[in-house]
Amino acid sequence: MGEIYAKFVSQKISKTRWRPVPPGSLQTAETFATGSWDNEENYVSLWSIGDFGNLDSDGGFEGDHQLLCDIRHHGDVMDLQFFDQERIVAASSTGCVTIFLHHPNNQTLSVNQQWTTAHYHTGPGSPSYSSAPCTGIVCDNPEIVTVGEDGRINLFRADHKEAVRTINNADSSTLHAVTFLRTPEILTVNSIGQLKIWDFRQQGNEPSQILSLTGDRVPLHCVDRHPSQQHVVATGGQDGMLSIWDVRQGTMPVSLLKAHEAEMWEVHFHPSNPDHLFTCSEDGSLWHWDASTDVPEKSSLFHQGGRTSTFLSHSISNQANVQQSLISSWLSTDTTKDRIEITSLLPSRTLSVNSLDVLGPCLVCGTDAEAIYVTRQLFV
Amino acid sequence: MELIWNLCEILFIEVAPAGPLLLHLLDWVRLHVCEVDSLSADVLGSENPSKHESFWNLVTILVLQGRLDEARQMLSKEADTSPTSAGMCRTLGDLMRTMPILSPGNTQTLTELELKWQHWHEECERHLQDGTFTSSPHLETLCKIMLGDEAALLEQKELLNNWYHFLVTRLLYSHPTVKPMDLHLYAQSSLDLFLGGESSPEPLDNILMAAFEFDIHQVIKECSIALSNWWFVAHLTDLLDHCKLLQSHNLYFGSNMREFLLLEYASGLFAHHSLWQLGVDYFDYCPELGRVSLELHIERIPLNTEQKALKVLRICEQRQMTEQVRSICKILAMKAVRNNRLGSALSWSIRAKDAAFATLVSDRFLMDYCDRGCFSDLDLIDNLGPAMMLSDRLTFLGKYREFHRLYGEKRFVDAASLLLSLMTSQIAPRSFWMTLLTDALPLLEQKQVIFSAEQTYELMRCLEDLTAGRPVRGEPDAQRLQDDDIETTKVEMLRLALARNLARAIIREGSLEGS
């Protein structure tokens, strides 16, 4: 990995997301959004990283990121997603879901649409109204799915005032994160360690499938789906354990990898190189997991000073007859063949790394130490 | 603040001896009195520097700050433009050049320096007496300054701007080999002369005076009073403590002064909405009272989202503060129960390993079942896993749900033995026994015999236990009578069913198998 740039921004960052590049374009990521938390006034901000090859007069600092614009946000920013090139959806700890619109000509952000009572414990009709934090969002234009601490799943559509579909009491515990499996199906993880698959085509309020780990019910905090193989899902738990699941077979994870020492906040498959996985955690580290098969040449070029170690995956399902043409390296159960290189990407331990995002060769992450780290040379 | 910090560094930490002390003080003044640079940029940038209105001001300031090389350059410019004063400029320039200063790395002793300086001083004096500079008042003033003439220096009050600048300049030109011990005398007199009785010293002046007097405690005390938060004093005291400068003092309130200030600062951080995470680290470094303070503070952080709660809990767990973990989890679990999020409540009690709370949650579930006749949140109860072992009530709940499932799958024999074991193993609460027995009723009434004779005896024993234990009631009211009626009917039905089942079971067991 090449250079990594840090910038201290006087607000604790809870989420960072790259703006998606238009499909088919050759651009690399240039803009990212961040959300802050735990301040009296929280902000959703847009940042831009400098042009390639544009050396400053000092000869350095070409990668330093600059603030483009920001806007006040009520409550902590619990999750952030880009809806399309100009719109960002933010989930708040007040239970409100907001779509912000970016105006590139005068570099401002404005509120485009808001659902203020998306998540609540006791409803807006009753006198003892109490809101609940909205904990996760996933978007697939034009639909937005949100989940919250009230165990509720909402399906919104941009420009519709009311929710298209709401599943009340979908879960008796807190839903921490959500992702799309196939378009009408979503997968949620909760704080009793279960993955639940919901099908919006069905009318009922029951999940179509429940997967969980036997043994301790460790809460799961984050989930991400493999970009090309839609049955492979990775989750991160409160004990820092990374689990890979195959949702088509069985109710148990395919592999469990002991990873961080504290809660894993986010896990991401790289969107174009899915053999690479990134995780960040409360223990202040950000790890790059490389399961690609041609490992030996790469190891010498990895980030100097980063910790490189190899873990063998423990496989607990004995699926001997896996017969597909594309065997995902994450699912392979042959322990001798499958070595995963793990590298720690941040130069020193900081407070918790709350969020990360990868797009192409660029990675951005935000920490509780009020810093944002950006690198544009992930695979050097 | 940086001013005070640098001064403390020079005086307390570097403990500069007599010669270099002045150099350090000169650097200090140059660093913090900064108009010189903008002024010189102004003057040099203009077309004809020596005709600039602030030219002489600039040269004077340069001399006051002891930047004699730059002053000489200025003078040479003046010499170039006005030939009449060229000669004087050159003389003055020579004087500037020959001023003896202690350069770092120079091996001359202090006495040598003193001698040389004395010579130079006399030469300047001679020039002044001879009237070399009488035709140019500016140059004459400069010479007087270089002689350390107090009156001349005081005339430059505006350029000096504050008394410590005056002090340093004065020392530079009259006592360059000043010893640290004598510093405060000069400081006091400089302060008095500069202020001239017009204004009283400000807090900053008091702090600096205390520093010159080498009274560390006074410095800290004055800073605490004058500055609005504890950041500066906490860090300064910590630094001094690490340099072992505070240990000779014995404080009457017992704990170390450094720790006291750090505790104050960290408490202040905890009062801030987002800096509490930093406060934790500060408390870690206070050996005596740090942990206790952290325990008290961390319980009181307002938790409005689960994510924040998780971070706080992680901090507690890393430091083995189990009491705090338990109390925070209990608060969160109570909130969850109030919001009817029984699954969250359960997961918090599992994290805190709080059996009592798990019992409470299970009781809620059971009450819900009694009210509604069906279970809410089946996804939770069905998938409890090993967490069931946390509390007896929870185990009962799990097993009871299993009984219902077995019944639903028509595996009656298994269901029956499970039901029996639930009652006999004492994990079922007594209040629930009636419900369990009532659940046994349909099994007893089945066409095939499900309960064996032994099992039926057990059930009868349980029923007798239950009815025998009922105390004689006082004044029965209408509702109570009605309840009693229902109870009696149920008991009678059960007795009948049990008796019938017993009969059938005995017959079946008594008859030969297969015959």
Side-chain angles (χ1 to χ4, degrees), chain B residues 433-450:
Chain B
W433 276 13
M434 207 55 217
T435 324
L436 287 175
L437 286 169
T438 327
D439 282 330
L441 209 50
L443 288 173
L444 291 166
E445 301 291 339
Q446 290 276 343
K447 263 203 255 188
Q448 52 181 137
V449 174
I450 299 173

Side-chain angles (χ1 to χ4, degrees), chain B residues 413 416-417 420 450-460 498:
Chain B
V413 181
S417 42
L420 199 57
I450 299 173
F451 284 101
S452 72
E454 275 302 311
Q455 292 176 324
T456 320
Y457 281 130
E458 282 294 321
L459 280 174
M460 290 166 91
L498 282 168

Side-chain angles (χ1 to χ4, degrees), chain B residues 85-101:
Chain B
S85 50
M88 292 190 287
C89 287
R90 225 174 313 120
T91 330
L92 194 57
D94 282 340
L95 281 178
M96 287 182 181
R97 189 171 43 86
T98 53
M99 172 170 173
I101 48 171

Side-chain angles (χ1 to χ4, degrees), chain A residues 12 38 40 93 121 149-150 169 171-174 192 194 196 215 217 221 238 263 282 352 354 368, chain B residues 273-274 276-277 305-308 310-311 314 339 341 343-344 347 351 377 379-380 383-386:
Chain A
K12 295 207 274 200
D38 216 16
E40 279 165 345
S93 60
H121 287 300
E149 276 188 25
D150 54 351
N169 213 11
D171 198 312
S172 62
S173 64
T174 305
I192 38 180
Q194 296 170 326
K196 293 189 185 174
R217 298 282 177 203
H221 286 296
Q238 197 171 81
E263 288 90 350
E282 174 76 21
S352 158
N354 288 327
D368 264 351
Chain B
H273 48 81
S274 79
W276 52 274
Q277 280 177 309
T305 63
E306 279 196 9
Q307 215 179 351
K308 188 164 177 181
L310 288 169
K311 288 181 190 262
R314 181 62 59 180
N339 286 325
R341 311 258 90 245
S344 295
S347 80
R351 177 150 185 181
D377 306 319
D379 60 339
L380 173 64
N383 297 301
L384 276 176

Side-chain angles (χ1 to χ4, degrees), chain A residues 125-143:
Chain A
S126 86
S128 61
Y129 168 61
S130 87
S131 64
C134 172
T135 50
I137 295 185
V138 69
C139 317
D140 186 16
N141 211 330
E143 294 178 333

Side-chain angles (χ1 to χ4, degrees), chain B residues 343-446:
Chain B
S344 295
L346 196 60
S347 80
W348 289 119
S349 31
I350 291 174
R351 177 150 185 181
K353 302 197 192 4
D354 191 350
F357 210 87
T359 311
L360 197 116
V361 176
S362 335
D363 275 339
R364 260 300 273 275
F365 273 117
L366 290 171
M367 253 173 27
D368 272 351
Y369 171 75
C370 288
D371 287 338
R372 274 187 273 164
C374 67
F375 282 109
S376 58
D377 306 319
L378 277 176
D379 60 339
L380 173 64
I381 309 173
D382 276 341
N383 297 301
L384 276 176
M388 254 204 284
M389 300 303 150
L390 185 61
S391 123
D392 279 347
R393 197 56 54 78
L394 204 53
T395 321
F396 169 68
L397 183 65
K399 292 286 175 203
Y400 189 55
R401 167 70 198 140
E402 206 182 314
F403 162 73
H404 277 270
R405 254 188 322 118
L406 287 173
Y407 190 92
E409 290 168 14
K410 304 221 186 302
R411 290 163 54 187
F412 294 125
V413 181
D414 295 327
S417 42
L418 182 56
L419 187 63
L420 199 57
S421 62
L422 279 179
M423 280 200 281
T424 50
S425 60
Q426 309 292 338
I427 58 170
R430 271 195 101 96
S431 49
F432 218 71
W433 276 13
M434 207 55 217
T435 324
L436 287 175
L437 286 169
T438 327
D439 282 330
L441 209 50
L443 288 173
L444 291 166
E445 301 291 339
Q446 290 276 343

